[in-house]
Amino acid sequence: MADVEPLGRMSASPDVEAAIAILDPAVALAALIQITGDRTLLHRYGPALEGTHATHKSAFRAIDGEEALEDTDQSVAQELRTRLAAEVGRDREPVLPKLDRPLFRELVKLVIGSDLPDMSVEPAYQHAGFTTDTRIRTPERLPPADFKVLIVGAGMVGINAAIKLQQAGFPYQIVEANSDVGGTWLVNTYPGAAVDTESRIYSYSFEPNSSWTRYYANGPEFLTYLNKVVDKYGVRDRVDFNTRVAGAEWDEDRSTWTLKATRDGQEVTYEGNVLIMATGPNNGPKYPDVGNMDAFGGRIIHTAQWDDDLDLAGKKVVLVGAACSGVQVAAAVADQVSELAIVMRQPEYLIPNANARAGIDPLEIIAMENIPFVAQWKRMQTLASQMTDMRGMIMIDPEHREKTGGIAPLNDGIRDMCRNHIQQQFPDDPDMVKLLTPDYPVFAKRPILDCSFYDTIKKPNVDLVKGALASFDESAVILADGQRIECDIVVLATGYNMYWGTQFEIKGRDGKTLRDIFDPAPFTYWGMMVPGLPNFVLPAGPYSNLVANHAVLGEQHIHYVIELLQTMVDEQLATFEVTQAAADRFVEEADRRLAQTAWVNKGTAHGYYRHPSGKVVLAIPYHNSVIWHKLRQPEMADYQVTKRPDATPEQEREPEMLEI
């Protein structure tokens, strides 16, 4: 490389310079190009960085046997960092805040080490945080003066809906049963509660957080993030807290939803043109159906209804459940209690990931907070594995199955990685290896990050027991095989109810309820729309989950809702309602594809992926980039609509010629 030309006298602060000194050179180059607008830097430095990108260990991919990367030429890295420090010190407005797609793709190739599939370019650009405006339809009209949207729930999706409705000019009101915002992250305060998707992408793309202290944020840190977002956009003023919804009824004559709720013992009523039920799929604790629970003389507590004043110190504790909440609780409380017995019905796949409990380097935080675009490029690195082809992760490869009995090479690779992790953790304990090794396909249940669970069960005061809870007596739990475990406290990590809105009395067209419509099994059109319920949206509903985290899923659904509402306004519609035929087509094709997945071909796996009817209704069997494109704009041929009574005839407006 040629000598660096003088770049001016100003320089970055010492902290920022220290952060730049350890910054991934590919990220430094991408940020430098955007700050300066100098595309020639790509040709000058890019070839020297190919194959040297920093690897990012995603939780849900096989990481065994990755090829070693070339070392970055340190003279090139130093030259880039020197240039970047000088530009940051100048503190000028970036020249290229928006990237054209050819440049974006080339920079992505350097930053993640591979090209993006065509279908993932636009989703990556949005979800990495390079744009905050995803609207497609150019508004032709303002919402009528009497137009209003009701949102039930101030969790992740409800907050998202409020912000995007506000930005699009739609009046809204949120009704929330709790005393504050946050939904799941307000309610779930059990020890060890944390996100199991990396914080950088389990957050809004339009409001990225550069200051995460951990790769996988704990519950309080994530709740703090949500509160900051709510306050920044003024959402809190539009929320009625401590207001518990009972139900909603569609008024056919007025094309209006009436929402009934209770606040402080008083009945309250709301009316709106559109109703968004942003209550999420997980609704309250799911208690095990066992006998004699009242006989227990100690304390029984569910992870979904934790008492923060509960003192576990020195107590004998039985923890029922070893899925996500269970392993988090176990790792968090093992050193507090005198004895911990973990009752496990069946083993889970635990993903090894060094970042599971790791803090983020403070210098990396400084870089993301102070250097333009570093946060976006770091987010892009975290998104990378989700944006590439994931063939064989969930879908069965028939030829591979016939030869090996497995799912597909990628799925089996992740399975083997998890099994190797168990072997490495218990090299001299074949009985424990056998106890911990699942006999069903990976992804038949949700894999779990190993947040030191294996280390926890090695502790002398911890006992792992395979069995199922059957009943209680005054001082013990009793398992199905008759085993009796004495304890002071029982912690139930037994999951959540998945009501899909049926916890409310929602009455649609012709008096038909959501419960009626969802009998024998819940369904939607593209995870949101339900025939028989005009102007009703159930984001993150049946047939929408498992291929993207809740933040990504919510953004895509709310984008679609905004496009649909603007269509409603522009075309002067009173109602929209997905047709039964369109919903049936969607479900039939989804079910056909689901039949070829590990979710349905589950082996011995049990768990919340399956509805009591036996159907898998939680998942959608498409790559998320495919879903992103499908949800850009509504296909209005799939809807039946009615016009507003006050709709005015459409008129061609000739441009007025102006004169001087």
Side-chain angles (χ1 to χ4, degrees):
M1 289 290 165
D3 292 338
V4 180
E5 296 178 2
L7 293 172
R9 296 179 180 179
M10 297 188 69
S11 62
S13 71
D15 284 348
V16 173
E17 285 192 343
I20 291 172
I22 65 166
L23 188 61
D24 176 358
V27 171
L29 174 58
L32 185 61
I33 290 172
Q34 286 196 258
I35 291 169
T36 63
D38 186 353
R39 296 167 184 262
T40 66
L41 298 174
L42 177 63
H43 304 295
R44 180 174 182 179
Y45 295 106
L49 298 181
E50 289 181 3
T52 67
H53 69 286
T55 56
H56 188 86
K57 303 300 186 187
S58 173
F60 299 124
R61 61 178 293 189
I63 59 175
D64 289 354
E66 287 189 342
E67 294 183 6
L69 298 169
E70 298 177 19
D71 291 332
T72 306
D73 184 324
Q74 290 306 302
S75 65
V76 174
Q78 182 57 43
E79 192 170 319
L80 279 170
R81 289 165 177 156
T82 300
R83 282 181 171 271
L84 182 59
E87 290 297 337
V88 171
R90 291 179 176 180
D91 194 25
R92 297 186 297 190
E93 286 295 315
V95 177
L96 284 178
K98 295 184 179 180
L99 294 167
D100 58 65
R101 299 310 181 264
L103 179 57
F104 175 65
R105 290 189 74 157
E106 288 302 314
L107 293 178
V108 168
K109 191 185 299 184
L110 287 178
V111 168
I112 72 172
S114 61
D115 195 9
L116 283 173
D118 290 346
M119 190 163 281
S120 290
V121 174
E122 293 299 328
Y125 191 78
Q126 178 203 328
H127 288 304
F130 287 102
T131 182
T132 59
D133 182 9
T134 63
R135 295 186 72 178
I136 303 296
R137 188 181 183 103
T138 301
E140 300 170 12
R141 295 173 181 264
L142 295 175
D146 61 351
F147 195 94
K148 188 174 186 179
V149 180
L150 298 177
I151 305 169
V152 178
M156 284 192 72
V157 176
I159 294 168
N160 188 346
I163 292 169
K164 292 304 175 181
L165 285 166
Q166 182 173 287
Q167 291 175 336
F170 289 98
Y172 70 89
Q173 177 68 50
I174 302 179
V175 181
E176 169 57 55
N178 293 310
S179 60
D180 208 341
V181 301
T184 292
W185 298 103
L186 175 70
V187 173
N188 281 276
T189 61
Y190 63 82
V195 302
D196 63 351
T197 301
E198 285 201 59
S199 313
R200 285 176 185 165
I201 56 174
Y202 190 72
S203 49
Y204 303 123
S205 68
F206 57 85
E207 197 58 47
N209 179 22
S210 301
S211 306
W212 296 117
T213 63
R214 295 159 55 105
Y215 289 99
Y216 297 87
N218 61 26
E221 183 173 13
F222 192 77
L223 184 59
T224 296
Y225 164 75
L226 290 179
N227 273 280
K228 286 181 178 177
V229 173
V230 163
D231 290 335
K232 175 177 178 178
Y233 289 92
V235 171
R236 195 179 304 276
D237 295 337
R238 306 298 298 277
V239 186
D240 281 354
F241 293 110
N242 301 308
T243 305
R244 186 167 296 278
V245 169
E249 186 169 357
W250 174 250
D251 186 326
E252 184 74 30
D253 294 334
R254 297 191 301 134
S255 299
T256 300
W257 280 100
T258 300
L259 189 72
K260 295 182 179 180
T262 304
R263 186 190 316 125
D264 300 327
Q266 301 295 316
E267 291 187 2
V268 290
T269 301
Y270 300 84
E271 289 189 347
N273 303 81
V274 176
L275 177 58
I276 300 176
M277 295 297 299
T279 52
N282 296 329
N283 307 114
K286 184 176 184 180
Y287 282 88
D289 184 14
V290 297
N292 221 24
M293 190 177 290
D294 293 341
F296 185 63
R299 182 77 181 272
I300 300 175
I301 190 166
H302 197 287
T303 52
Q305 289 181 325
W306 195 260
D307 180 354
D308 294 332
D309 294 328
L310 179 64
D311 184 8
L312 298 176
K315 300 294 195 302
K316 294 181 180 180
V317 177
V318 167
L319 170 63
V320 180
C324 185
S325 298
V327 301
Q328 290 178 343
V329 169
V333 307
D335 291 336
Q336 302 174 31
V337 304
S338 63
E339 297 177 18
L340 177 64
I342 305 169
V343 178
M344 174 185 74
R345 278 198 299 170
Q346 68 178 166
E348 311 275 342
Y349 282 104
L350 266 63
I351 303 279
N353 191 308
N355 290 338
R357 301 189 75 183
I360 297 175
D361 188 327
L363 287 177
E364 189 170 337
I365 297 172
I366 290 171
M368 291 191 293
E369 289 177 336
N370 293 280
I371 305 172
F373 312 112
V374 167
Q376 286 91 331
W377 288 112
K378 289 286 186 181
R379 187 172 169 116
M380 183 66 244
Q381 288 180 327
T382 309
L383 280 167
S385 64
Q386 300 176 32
M387 293 294 163
T388 55
D389 190 86
M390 303 165 80
R391 194 175 307 274
M393 177 173 280
I394 303 298
M395 301 294 292
I396 293 172
D397 179 334
E399 185 176 339
H400 179 83
R401 165 151 279 202
E402 185 176 351
K403 289 180 180 179
T404 68
I407 297 294
L410 178 56
N411 183 288
D412 291 359
I414 298 173
R415 175 202 65 193
D416 294 344
M417 175 184 68
C418 294
R419 290 179 175 178
N420 290 341
H421 181 48
I422 300 171
Q423 293 279 357
Q424 291 164 5
Q425 289 289 316
F426 302 94
D428 303 317
D429 193 345
D431 291 338
M432 183 60 77
V433 170
K434 183 178 180 181
L435 181 66
L436 290 170
T437 301
D439 62 356
Y440 52 84
V442 69
F443 292 109
K445 300 175 71 172
R446 181 175 175 83
I448 301 166
L449 277 181
D450 182 9
C451 54
S452 302
F453 180 68
Y454 291 154
D455 289 335
T456 297
I457 60 179
K458 296 174 187 176
K459 295 178 183 291
N461 67 325
V462 178
D463 188 22
L464 181 65
V465 182
K466 189 172 183 181
L469 180 66
S471 64
F472 293 77
D473 66 22
E474 185 178 353
S475 59
V477 300
I478 301 169
L479 305 187
D481 62 2
Q483 185 175 177
R484 183 175 179 276
I485 307 174
E486 289 198 359
C487 56
D488 306 309
I489 296 172
V490 177
V491 176
L492 299 175
T494 50
Y496 307 86
N497 291 304
M498 304 193 80
Y499 291 124
W500 304 115
T502 58
Q503 69 270 44
F504 308 109
E505 183 69 17
I506 298 173
K507 191 176 292 186
R509 194 185 297 280
D510 301 324
K512 202 169 187 180
T513 68
L514 182 61
R515 296 188 192 109
D516 296 333
I517 296 168
F518 280 1
D519 183 20
F523 70 96
T524 60
Y525 168 85
W526 285 108
M528 289 175 280
M529 303 299 170
V530 183
L533 299 177
N535 296 11
F536 177 88
V537 185
L538 185 66
Y543 290 91
S544 70
N545 292 270
L546 302 187
V547 295
N549 73 62
H550 206 54
V552 167
L553 165 66
E555 286 195 38
Q556 292 172 176
H557 280 195
I558 297 306
H559 163 87
Y560 182 93
V561 171
I562 298 298
E563 292 295 307
L564 182 57
L565 295 190
Q566 191 61 55
T567 302
M568 188 181 185
V569 168
D570 289 346
E571 298 183 7
Q572 303 181 82
L573 303 180
T575 68
F576 62 82
E577 179 188 348
V578 70
T579 66
Q580 187 69 53
D584 288 345
R585 283 196 306 272
F586 169 78
V587 171
E588 286 167 9
E589 177 60 17
D591 283 347
R592 185 189 68 78
R593 289 179 59 85
L594 281 167
Q596 304 303 314
T597 65
W599 296 319
V600 169
N601 297 270
K602 63 183 180 61
T604 63
H606 54 66
Y608 71 95
Y609 281 12
R610 282 152 287 281
H611 183 259
S613 66
K615 283 194 71 176
V616 172
V617 300
L618 183 69
I620 184 168
Y622 302 101
H623 191 288
N624 191 60
S625 290
V626 174
I627 298 166
W628 189 95
H629 285 280
K630 287 287 187 181
L631 299 184
R632 285 306 85 196
Q633 286 185 289
E635 178 55 69
M636 295 309 294
D638 288 346
Y639 288 86
Q640 56 188 23
V641 301
T642 62
K643 286 276 191 179
R644 286 178 61 96
D646 58 354
T648 57
E650 298 292 336
Q651 295 180 347
E652 288 289 333
R653 297 181 61 180
E654 291 290 334
E656 181 182 355
M657 297 305 296
L658 303 180
E659 297 286 352
I660 58 170

